[in-house]
Amino acid sequence: MVKNASAGFALLADIDITGIVSGNALLAGLMFLLPGLKQMLVIWYGELLLTAFCGASLLIYVRHVYDRKKEKMAYHNRLLEMQAKALTNQMNPHFIYNSLSTVQHLIMIDEKQKAFDYISDFSLLMRQMLTNTRKSYISLDDEVDFLKRYLELEKIRFINAFQYEFHIDEDLRSNSYCIPSMLIQPILENAIKHGFSPKRENNLLKVTMVAQNDLVICSVDDNGIGWKKKNSDFTTTIKHESTALTILRERLNLIKSYNGNSGNLEIIDKFLADNQQTGTIVKIYIPIINSL
């Protein structure tokens, strides 16, 4: 090809001094150049097709890898979701048992009307609980509504031996955040049953919720006897509390926020913290799944 092209250019250079190109020389040069140009075009088109084929093959491979990874992640998330639901179901029987025990107690002390009212409220609570546990996550408003209804029933059970307060951050009120259900209720149950039992006056339970990045930080603050004293005085309940907290920690580790962060559980004995106050603060770092 190079030899033919060189010969063609040499013939094209066959020009006389006056600048008049010989017609025969021009025609001969073009005839020499044509095969070389055809060969160059064939090579260029071949390289272009090869590049396009390699690019398409690479794109198909990347898409295949992405789809496989996406399917694997969906399966993994589904598995974690099923495990979280199974752990939730382990907590429900104990909650039902305590509620039925309250009804039994009211009947035994001849408070039949209160028992009937309690059963009515309990049935509504059970319906809400069953609805919530069928879902992977619920709105924060639904969770707070459930907790308030539960605390009202517990006030009946403990003959108004405590009061409660809810403080919800404005950022949480203005956004429809979703969180896993039945994470906070076991902490409230422990505070009421074990923190307030030996103390009958001015019992106060404060529930505070604030948003921090992709987490809802729920603080359950009671002015009971404190975590350390509670565990030393009520040795028969330590095993149950340990089981409930273990399940709760496992759920928090399984559930991921929309940024991929997991939750956590922190227990603070207020007396050990400042040697003045009594009670316990339990902080639950709850992953925000998404917004409605």
Side-chain angles (χ1 to χ4, degrees), residues 241-288:
E241 288 185 49
S242 177
T243 301
L245 291 178
T246 298
I247 293 174
L248 184 55
R249 291 183 191 276
E250 288 179 2
R251 290 191 65 203
L252 289 170
N253 287 330
L254 286 174
I255 303 165
K256 305 293 183 182
S257 70
Y258 59 82
N259 281 336
N261 294 319
S262 58
N264 193 17
L265 184 69
E266 182 181 2
I267 301 173
I268 303 171
D269 192 312
K270 292 195 288 185
F271 179 76
L272 296 178
D274 62 11
N275 289 326
Q276 294 180 359
Q277 301 183 70
T278 61
T280 305
I281 299 176
V282 178
K283 290 186 177 182
I284 315 170
Y285 298 81
I286 306 173
I288 298 174

